[in-house]
C-alpha cells in the first residue's frame, strides 16, 4: 500500500480556479499564471456589493490551485476599475448601508467597510505574488484593489488616485503611505488628484509602465520571470517582506482609515454630497468634487440647503472625460463662483 503524503495529495489535487462561476469577474489559467478579470465593463468595472468577496474567493482559489505561481488581476473593457459604483451607492443606497439614517452607528459601518478592506487585502496576503495590470483608470476603490497587489504595471496614459478624499471617502486599505512614503501620499490624499502611469512609475508606485499596445507584454515579462521560482520560495519571501510592512502598523492604520471612511460619509460635508448626487445625479456631484472648487462646509446640524444650486448642463468630472485633450491640454470644469462657507449664502 502506498502511503499518502502531502506531496502526493497535492499532485492529485484537481485544478480549482475554474470551478467557481462569478458574477463580477472571470478566471483563467495559462501555464503558471492565473488571470482574474474584473468583468463589469459597462460600468468600467465599478465595484458593487458582490465584487470584493468574489475577488477574495478567486484569490483563495488561485492559492489552492497547484498550477498557479503568479496571479494577475486586470479589467475588461476600457478601464481597470473606476471605483465603487457610486451611481448606485450615492444616488440610490436604498438599504442605507453606505449612509445610514441619523443618528448613525459607526460600528455597523465599520463592519461593512472592514469586510471590503479584508477582501481587497487578500491580494496582499495571497501566498502567491499578485500583479495589477492597470489601463484606463484605477480610481478610488479601484486604486484600493491595485495598491493591495504586490506589483502594479500601468499603461502610460492610465490614471490612478483616490478622488473621494475631497469629500465622502477615506481609502480604507490605506496602502498609499506604504507604497509612496508620507510626502507623496499626502500630496495625493490632500488633493484628490490622479497621476498617470508615467508619473506613477517615476514615483515608484508602478513597477513598470508601457503604452497600451505593449502593456500585456510588460505584464507577461514580469509574471513569467516570477513564475519560474518555486511556489514555496515565493511564499517564504513574500511572508518575510509583508511582515516588515505589517510591523510598521498596517493593521492599526487600516482600522483608523476604515473608521474615518465611515465618518466622511456621515459628516455635514458627506451628507451634503449625497443629497446633491441624489438631487442632480452622481456626474454633477463628482464634477463639483473634482473641479477644484471649494467643497461646501455646512457645519454641524446644517443640511447644506445653501449649496444646492443646479449644476451646469452636462456637468461631469474632469477625470471622467479623460482629463486631457489631444495634445495634453488639461480640460477645465465649467466655471462657477467659489462657494461660501457656513449656514448662509448661495452656492
Amino acid at each position: 500500500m502506498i502511503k499518502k503524503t502531502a506531496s502526493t495529495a497535492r499532485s492529485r489535487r484537481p485544478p480549482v480556479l475554474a470551478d467557481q462561476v462569478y458574477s463580477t469577474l472571470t478566471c483563467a489559467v495559462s501555464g503558471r499564471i492565473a488571470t482574474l478579470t474584473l468583468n463589469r465593463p459597462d460600468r468600467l468595472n465599478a465595484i458593487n456589493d458582490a465584487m470584493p468577496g468574489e475577488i477574495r474567493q478567486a484569490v483563495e482559489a488561485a492559492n489552492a490551485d497547484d498550477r498557479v505561481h503568479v496571479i494577475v488581476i486586470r479589467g475588461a473593457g476600457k478601464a481597470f476599475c473606476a471605483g465603487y459604483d457610486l451611481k448606485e451607492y450615492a444616488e440610490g443606497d436604498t438599504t442605507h448601508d453606505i449612509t445610514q439614517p441619523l443618528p448613525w452607528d459607526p460600528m455597523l459601518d465599520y463592519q461593512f467597510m472592514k469586510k471590503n478592506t479584508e477582501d481587497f487585502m487578500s491580494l496582499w496576503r495571497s501566498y502567491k505574488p499578485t500583479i495589477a495590470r492597470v489601463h484606463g483608470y484605477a480610481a478610488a476603490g479601484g486604486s484600493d484593489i491595485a495598491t493591495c497587489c504586490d506589483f502594479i504595471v500601468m499603461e502610460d496614459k492610465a490614471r490612478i488616485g483616490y478622488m473621494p478624499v475631497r469629500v465622502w471617502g477615506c481609502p480604507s486599505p490605506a496602502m498609499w503611505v506604504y507604497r509612496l512614503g508620507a510626502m507623496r501620499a499626502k500630496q495625493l490624499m490632500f488633493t484628490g488628484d490622479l497621476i498617470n502611469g508615467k508619473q506613477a512609475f517615476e514615483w515608484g508606485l508602478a513597477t513598470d509602465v508601457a503604452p497600451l499596445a505593449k502593456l500585456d507584454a510588460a505584464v507577461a515579462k514580469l509574471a513569467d520571470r516570477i513564475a519560474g521560482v518555486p511556489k514555496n520560495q515565493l511564499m517564504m519571501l513574500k511572508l518575510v517582506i509583508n511582515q516588515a510592512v505589517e510591523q510598521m502598523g498596517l493593521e492599526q492604520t487600516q482600522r483608523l482609515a476604515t473608521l474615518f471612511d465611515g465618518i466622511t460619509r456621515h459628516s455635514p460635508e458627506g451628507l451634503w454630497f449625497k443629497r446633491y448626487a441624489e438631487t442632480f445625479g452622481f456626474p454633477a456631484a463628482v464634477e463639483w468634487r473634482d473641479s477644484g472648487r471649494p467643497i461646501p462646509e455646512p457645519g454641524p446640524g446644517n443640511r447644506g440647503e445653501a449649496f444646492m444650486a443646479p449644476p451646469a448642463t452636462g456637468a461631469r468630472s474632469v477625470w471622467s472625460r479623460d482629463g486631457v485633450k489631444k495634445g495634453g491640454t488639461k480640460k477645465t470644469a465649467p466655471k462657477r463662483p467659489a462657494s461660501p462657507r457656513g449656514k448662509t449664502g448661495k452656492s
Side-chain angles (χ1 to χ4, degrees):
M1 182 176 179
I2 299 175
K3 185 178 180 181
K4 183 181 287 188
T5 65
S7 60
T8 58
R10 185 175 65 184
S11 64
R12 295 174 183 174
R13 181 188 298 161
V16 297
L17 189 58
D19 292 349
Q20 179 69 40
V21 176
Y22 303 97
S23 65
T24 65
L25 56 87
T26 61
C27 304
V29 178
S30 177
R32 295 182 166 197
I33 300 167
T35 300
L36 314 182
T37 302
L38 305 179
N39 194 33
R40 300 186 72 220
D42 57 320
R43 297 294 301 152
L44 296 180
N45 302 313
I47 301 162
N48 62 8
D49 286 344
M51 184 178 286
E54 291 193 344
I55 290 173
R56 185 174 191 166
Q57 292 171 34
V59 170
E60 290 174 351
N63 273 267
D65 194 317
D66 204 46
R67 298 171 296 173
V68 176
H69 287 228
V70 181
I71 302 168
V72 174
I73 184 165
R74 57 183 291 158
K78 296 181 179 179
F80 175 75
C81 176
Y84 280 89
D85 197 336
L86 293 185
K87 182 173 177 62
E88 175 182 332
Y89 289 133
E91 291 183 20
D93 189 24
T94 57
T95 61
H96 298 290
D97 286 331
I98 303 302
T99 303
Q100 299 174 34
L102 298 179
W104 69 292
D105 184 341
M107 292 298 98
L108 285 178
D109 191 281
Y110 179 84
Q111 290 179 64
F112 177 83
M113 286 307 301
K114 192 63 163 71
K115 180 184 182 301
N116 285 4
T117 302
E118 293 302 309
D119 289 342
F120 295 148
M121 285 295 287
S122 66
L123 292 156
W124 169 263
R125 298 191 180 104
S126 166
Y127 293 140
K128 298 174 181 181
T130 55
I131 302 171
R133 175 204 179 274
V134 172
H135 75 294
Y137 285 97
S143 68
D144 287 342
I145 297 171
T147 56
C148 285
C149 291
D150 298 314
F151 305 100
I152 302 173
V153 179
M154 285 187 69
E155 175 198 359
D156 56 353
K157 296 180 180 179
R159 290 179 173 82
I160 189 168
Y162 205 96
M163 303 93 79
V165 291
R166 292 183 58 80
V167 65
W168 222 58
C170 176
S172 57
M175 294 297 288
W176 294 100
V177 68
Y178 300 101
R179 304 298 297 250
L180 289 172
M183 184 182 70
R184 292 299 194 191
K186 288 177 181 177
Q187 184 172 345
L188 291 184
M189 295 299 98
F190 293 173
T191 64
D193 288 344
L194 302 178
I195 58 174
N196 63 29
K198 290 181 179 179
Q199 193 168 2
F201 179 69
E202 290 168 359
W203 285 12
L205 177 64
T207 308
D208 200 359
V209 63
L212 182 59
K214 298 181 179 180
L215 185 60
D216 285 335
V219 173
K221 181 179 179 180
L222 176 62
D224 288 341
R225 181 64 172 162
I226 295 170
V229 178
K231 292 186 294 295
N232 56 7
Q233 284 289 118
L234 294 171
M235 180 177 173
M236 286 185 284
L237 296 169
K238 184 167 178 177
L239 287 171
V240 167
I241 296 167
N242 278 16
Q243 69 82 32
V245 176
E246 289 157 6
Q247 291 300 316
M248 297 178 193
L250 177 59
E251 175 59 31
Q252 291 81 357
T253 301
Q254 290 181 340
R255 189 175 296 132
L256 185 65
T258 302
L259 283 169
F260 282 177
D261 185 56
I263 293 172
T264 67
R265 281 178 274 107
H266 296 84
S267 67
E269 295 77 14
L271 293 173
W272 163 81
F273 178 79
K274 187 173 190 296
R275 287 188 64 238
Y276 200 87
E278 290 171 337
T279 304
F280 299 114
F282 183 64
V286 296
E287 185 277 322
W288 190 324
R289 181 195 69 189
D290 298 341
S291 68
R293 299 197 310 277
I295 301 297
E297 300 178 47
N302 189 325
R303 288 171 51 83
E305 298 290 352
F307 310 107
M308 294 298 292
T313 302
R316 298 186 67 86
S317 167
V318 292
W319 304 119
S320 69
R321 297 182 308 218
D322 289 336
V324 293
K325 297 179 180 177
K326 290 181 180 179
T329 303
K330 188 172 182 178
K331 288 185 178 180
T332 57
K335 292 183 179 180
R336 188 190 306 273
S339 302
R341 295 180 58 179
K343 296 183 179 181
T344 61
K346 296 181 180 180
S347 60

